[in-house]
Amino acid sequence: MQYPEPIAKLIDSYMKLPGIGSKTATRLAFYTIDMPEDDVTDFSKSLIAAKKDLHYCSVCGNITENDPCDICRDQSRDQNSVIVVEQPKDVMALDKMDDYHGLYHVLHGVLSPMEGKGPDDINIKTLIQRLQKQPIKEVIIATNATPEGEATAMYISRLIKPAGIKVTRLAHGLSVGSDIEYADEMTLLKAVEGRQEM
Amino acid sequence: MQYPEPIAKLIDSYMKLPGIGSKTATRLAFYTIDMPEDDVTDFSKSLIAAKKDLHYCSVCGNITENDPCDICRDQSRDQNSVIVVEQPKDVMALDKMDDYHGLYHVLHGVLSPMEGKGPDDINIKTLIQRLQKQPIKEVIIATNATPEGEATAMYISRLIKPAGIKVTRLAHGLSVGSDIEYADEMTLLKAVEGRQEM
């Protein structure tokens, strides 16, 4: 016996999401059937809305309803510094800090020769254009501390530095509140390398 | 900075699913935005369809598009035996066996005094009605091997037996292909209790 078609289709749809296999998809599908009708309608509408109403900002590449995005249009922000990140999620995470009021630039990925991703496949070109047009004095590179993230940081740094713009990289080291006992070797190495005089 | 409204709403919707917290919901929402438009449209439609087109069969309580369901209408099935299960998912699992061609009955839960679930809160009444109307000779109880599942099995058994209907319970024991080394105590106990002569 097969599942009735509507539930089979819903299971298929759930399985297209990352990290959701057939067992979880089945559980979610059966759960959906018992959900209040309003919640299911909202869910259905929000899927369409997220796909239709959201775009990438033509200036910084961040996800937004309006183009340019709220951050790029906000003239009260410090127009002299840009943090370069891999994904729109990183912008949200960084903007929780109250102490940074500059701009952002989203690469939408990192350089990865293994996956055939070169400089033209990520959002570097518009970064260069911004540096030519806007009064940016410092580019803070906040790609992740992976081999690809480091290589991308290095690539961008070499590209930008000749233009006389200051390029910095976020500090790597121990997380605040973490135990040295549980830190991995690479993090400890970075913490020692980046040590500062007290 | 907040997430743009469409993505915030989608994150909220994903968070209503079981086992999905805010981090996973955010990951799924950002993934959704990068999905092909057709997949998102299909997903949205299948949510509505699953909620609208699926009902519980008025005879057996299984999930179905038509009432009565395909199994209940199939006269080629053995009309003399019924397997009683907790959830519609269990019907799908059991019907993968090629050797059973009887009927099913879905309780939609188990007796649970802790959660205030009594006999009127699960689908027992219609089971009694079926036993009066249909020529059922054997009721096979396939509730899960949890304390609530066992109690429910016992309750149904006591209710039905006086009417002269045979009541059986699925065997508990070692899974086929499993190692004794890794079996838990309760399973081993059940396997010893249910031992059969060779």
Side-chain angles (χ1 to χ4, degrees):
Chain A
M1 195 211 160
Q2 299 292 310
Y3 287 109
E5 203 197 323
I7 202 157
K9 276 193 176 169
L10 185 55
I11 292 172
D12 280 350
S13 285
Y14 274 125
M15 278 178 68
K16 285 189 179 141
L17 297 173
I20 293 185
S22 71
K23 292 220 170 172
T24 308
T26 307
R27 193 165 55 92
L28 293 179
F30 275 100
Y31 184 87
T32 308
I33 294 166
D34 290 331
M35 270 167 70
E37 192 155 351
D38 285 353
D39 283 357
V40 177
T41 314
D42 281 353
F43 191 3
S44 172
K45 281 186 190 159
S46 64
L47 279 167
I48 296 290
K51 187 71 196 168
K52 213 185 62 187
D53 298 343
L54 292 175
H55 314 277
Y56 294 129
C57 171
S58 60
V59 179
C60 71
N62 192 13
I63 212 151
T64 176
E65 281 182 278
N66 316 305
D67 191 19
C69 72
D70 295 351
I71 295 179
C72 288
R73 280 187 304 171
D74 184 353
Q75 290 299 320
S76 73
R77 280 180 172 259
D78 175 9
Q79 303 290 315
N80 299 133
S81 65
V82 172
I83 294 187
V84 176
V85 297
E86 292 181 19
Q87 301 294 347
K89 277 178 281 195
D90 302 331
V91 176
M92 312 290 167
L94 286 164
D95 217 52
K96 281 184 199 151
M97 288 186 296
D98 279 336
D99 292 332
Y100 178 79
H101 298 286
L103 304 172
Y104 294 94
H105 192 86
V106 183
L107 295 175
H108 292 285
V110 279
L111 298 177
S112 170
M114 295 284 284
E115 295 172 24
K117 266 190 168 178
D120 292 337
D121 300 312
I122 61 177
N123 196 20
I124 290 183
K125 215 189 226 172
T126 50
L127 176 63
I128 306 300
Q129 287 167 356
R130 285 180 84 178
L131 297 179
Q132 287 160 352
K133 278 188 225 159
Q134 296 175 274
I136 293 164
K137 287 178 189 152
E138 180 174 0
V139 172
I140 304 163
I141 303 183
T143 51
N144 289 327
T146 56
E148 290 85 3
E150 296 290 355
T152 308
M154 193 61 74
Y155 178 88
I156 294 174
S157 159
R158 286 191 188 156
L159 205 67
I160 295 173
K161 261 192 175 168
I165 294 167
K166 188 175 168 189
V167 183
T168 54
R169 177 107 174 89
L170 283 197
H172 293 302
L174 298 163
S175 302
V176 176
S178 71
D179 264 21
I180 288 183
E181 186 181 354
Y182 301 119
D184 62 292
E185 273 173 59
M186 279 309 293
T187 302
L188 287 172
L189 184 66
K190 292 276 183 188
V192 172
E193 278 176 6
R195 68 190 180 281
Q196 291 176 343
E197 212 166 298
M198 293 177 64
Chain B
M1 194 209 161
Q2 298 293 312
Y3 287 109
E5 202 197 323
I7 202 158
K9 276 193 176 170
L10 185 55
I11 293 173
D12 280 349
S13 285
Y14 274 125
M15 277 178 69
K16 286 190 179 139
L17 298 174
I20 293 184
S22 71
K23 291 219 170 174
T24 308
T26 307
R27 195 167 53 92
L28 293 179
F30 276 100
Y31 184 87
T32 308
I33 294 166
D34 290 333
M35 270 167 70
E37 193 155 349
D38 285 352
D39 283 356
V40 178
T41 314
D42 281 353
F43 190 3
S44 171
K45 281 186 190 160
S46 63
L47 280 168
I48 296 290
K51 188 69 198 168
K52 214 185 61 187
D53 299 342
L54 292 176
H55 314 277
Y56 294 129
C57 172
S58 59
V59 179
C60 71
N62 192 14
I63 212 153
T64 176
E65 280 183 277
N66 316 305
D67 191 18
C69 73
D70 295 349
I71 295 180
C72 288
R73 280 188 303 172
D74 184 353
Q75 290 299 322
S76 73
R77 280 180 172 259
D78 175 10
Q79 303 290 316
N80 299 133
S81 65
V82 171
I83 295 186
V84 177
V85 297
E86 291 182 18
Q87 300 294 347
K89 277 178 280 195
D90 302 330
V91 175
M92 313 290 166
L94 286 164
D95 217 52
K96 280 184 198 151
M97 288 186 297
D98 280 335
D99 292 332
Y100 177 78
H101 298 287
L103 306 172
Y104 294 94
H105 192 86
V106 183
L107 295 176
H108 292 285
V110 278
L111 298 177
S112 171
M114 295 285 284
E115 295 172 24
K117 266 190 167 177
D120 292 338
D121 300 313
I122 62 175
N123 197 20
I124 289 184
K125 216 191 225 171
T126 49
L127 176 63
I128 306 300
Q129 286 167 357
R130 286 180 83 178
L131 297 179
Q132 288 162 350
K133 279 188 226 160
Q134 294 176 278
I136 293 162
K137 288 180 189 148
E138 181 175 358
V139 172
I140 303 162
I141 304 183
T143 51
N144 290 325
T146 56
E148 289 84 3
E150 296 289 356
T152 309
M154 193 61 75
Y155 178 87
I156 294 174
S157 159
R158 286 191 189 158
L159 206 66
I160 295 174
K161 261 192 175 167
I165 294 167
K166 189 175 168 189
V167 184
T168 54
R169 177 108 174 88
L170 284 197
H172 292 304
L174 297 163
S175 303
V176 176
S178 72
D179 265 21
I180 289 184
E181 187 181 353
Y182 301 118
D184 62 293
E185 274 173 59
M186 279 307 294
T187 303
L188 287 172
L189 185 66
K190 292 275 183 188
V192 172
E193 278 177 6
R195 69 190 181 279
Q196 291 175 344
E197 212 168 297
M198 292 178 64

